[in-house]
Short mmCIF file of all heavy atoms in Angstrom, two decimals:
data_model
loop_
_atom_site.label_atom_id
_atom_site.label_comp_id
_atom_site.label_asym_id
_atom_site.label_seq_id
_atom_site.Cartn_x
_atom_site.Cartn_y
_atom_site.Cartn_z
N LEU O 64 101.65 122.34 -71.74
CA LEU O 64 102.29 121.28 -71.03
C LEU O 64 103.21 120.47 -72.07
O LEU O 64 104.35 120.14 -71.69
CB LEU O 64 101.26 120.33 -70.45
CG LEU O 64 100.47 120.97 -69.39
CD1 LEU O 64 99.34 119.98 -68.79
CD2 LEU O 64 101.29 121.47 -68.19
N ALA O 65 102.76 120.21 -73.20
CA ALA O 65 103.57 119.53 -74.20
C ALA O 65 104.78 120.28 -74.49
O ALA O 65 105.84 119.75 -74.55
CB ALA O 65 102.69 119.22 -75.48
N GLY O 66 104.63 121.58 -74.68
CA GLY O 66 105.79 122.47 -74.92
C GLY O 66 106.84 122.43 -73.92
O GLY O 66 108.08 122.36 -74.14
N LYS O 67 106.47 122.42 -72.56
CA LYS O 67 107.36 122.33 -71.51
C LYS O 67 108.19 121.04 -71.56
O LYS O 67 109.42 121.06 -71.29
CB LYS O 67 106.63 122.36 -70.12
CG LYS O 67 106.14 123.75 -69.76
CD LYS O 67 105.44 123.60 -68.38
CE LYS O 67 104.84 124.95 -68.06
NZ LYS O 67 104.16 124.86 -66.74
N VAL O 68 107.59 119.96 -71.80
CA VAL O 68 108.23 118.72 -71.92
C VAL O 68 109.22 118.57 -73.14
O VAL O 68 110.34 118.26 -73.05
CB VAL O 68 107.25 117.50 -71.87
CG1 VAL O 68 107.97 116.18 -72.22
CG2 VAL O 68 106.51 117.32 -70.60
N LEU O 69 108.69 118.96 -74.31
CA LEU O 69 109.39 118.80 -75.51
C LEU O 69 110.48 119.89 -75.80
O LEU O 69 111.30 119.68 -76.76
CB LEU O 69 108.38 118.79 -76.69
CG LEU O 69 107.32 117.61 -76.64
CD1 LEU O 69 106.41 117.70 -77.78
CD2 LEU O 69 108.06 116.30 -76.57
N ALA O 70 110.47 120.95 -75.03
CA ALA O 70 111.47 121.99 -75.20
C ALA O 70 112.89 121.49 -75.04
O ALA O 70 113.78 121.95 -75.64
CB ALA O 70 111.24 123.16 -74.24
N LYS O 71 113.10 120.44 -74.21
CA LYS O 71 114.42 119.94 -73.96
C LYS O 71 114.59 118.58 -74.72
O LYS O 71 113.72 117.66 -74.59
CB LYS O 71 114.71 119.67 -72.47
CG LYS O 71 114.81 120.91 -71.65
CD LYS O 71 115.16 120.69 -70.25
CE LYS O 71 115.29 121.95 -69.51
NZ LYS O 71 115.55 121.63 -68.07
N ALA O 72 115.60 118.44 -75.50
CA ALA O 72 115.83 117.30 -76.31
C ALA O 72 115.81 116.02 -75.50
O ALA O 72 115.26 115.00 -75.93
CB ALA O 72 117.05 117.37 -77.13
N GLU O 73 116.39 116.05 -74.33
CA GLU O 73 116.47 114.83 -73.48
C GLU O 73 115.08 114.34 -73.00
O GLU O 73 114.89 113.21 -72.61
CB GLU O 73 117.42 115.00 -72.27
CG GLU O 73 116.96 115.99 -71.25
CD GLU O 73 117.57 117.41 -71.52
OE1 GLU O 73 117.99 117.71 -72.76
OE2 GLU O 73 117.61 118.21 -70.67
N ASN O 74 114.11 115.20 -73.07
CA ASN O 74 112.72 114.86 -72.58
C ASN O 74 111.90 114.28 -73.75
O ASN O 74 110.80 113.70 -73.48
CB ASN O 74 112.04 116.01 -71.94
CG ASN O 74 112.61 116.46 -70.63
OD1 ASN O 74 113.33 115.72 -70.03
ND2 ASN O 74 112.35 117.71 -70.29
N ARG O 75 112.28 114.46 -74.93
CA ARG O 75 111.46 114.06 -76.03
C ARG O 75 111.15 112.59 -76.19
O ARG O 75 110.29 112.15 -76.90
CB ARG O 75 112.09 114.58 -77.35
CG ARG O 75 112.09 116.12 -77.39
CD ARG O 75 112.55 116.70 -78.68
NE ARG O 75 112.79 118.14 -78.45
CZ ARG O 75 113.68 118.90 -79.03
NH1 ARG O 75 114.49 118.27 -79.86
NH2 ARG O 75 113.79 120.15 -78.70
N LYS O 76 111.87 111.71 -75.43
CA LYS O 76 111.58 110.33 -75.47
C LYS O 76 110.25 110.08 -74.97
O LYS O 76 109.59 108.99 -75.31
CB LYS O 76 112.59 109.51 -74.57
CG LYS O 76 112.63 109.93 -73.18
CD LYS O 76 113.76 109.23 -72.42
CE LYS O 76 114.01 109.99 -71.08
NZ LYS O 76 115.45 110.15 -70.79
N VAL O 77 109.66 110.89 -74.11
CA VAL O 77 108.24 110.71 -73.67
C VAL O 77 107.17 111.08 -74.72
O VAL O 77 105.93 110.86 -74.49
CB VAL O 77 107.95 111.41 -72.33
CG1 VAL O 77 108.92 110.94 -71.18
CG2 VAL O 77 108.01 112.87 -72.48
N SER O 78 107.63 111.55 -75.78
CA SER O 78 106.66 111.98 -76.85
C SER O 78 105.88 110.69 -77.35
O SER O 78 104.79 110.97 -77.94
CB SER O 78 107.35 112.71 -78.03
OG SER O 78 108.20 111.81 -78.64
N SER O 79 106.30 109.55 -77.17
CA SER O 79 105.60 108.38 -77.63
C SER O 79 104.39 108.12 -76.82
O SER O 79 103.53 107.42 -77.14
CB SER O 79 106.52 107.11 -77.53
OG SER O 79 106.96 106.89 -76.19
N MET O 80 104.22 108.84 -75.64
CA MET O 80 103.06 108.73 -74.78
C MET O 80 102.18 109.99 -74.92
O MET O 80 101.28 110.20 -74.24
CB MET O 80 103.53 108.71 -73.34
CG MET O 80 104.29 107.42 -73.03
SD MET O 80 104.52 107.14 -71.23
CE MET O 80 105.32 108.60 -70.74
#
Side-chain angles (χ1 to χ4, degrees):
L64 297 178
K67 284 181 185 178
V68 169
L69 300 176
K71 292 185 179 177
E73 64 268 19
N74 293 340
R75 293 184 191 146
K76 60 187 164 221
V77 299
S78 64
S79 61
M80 297 188 304

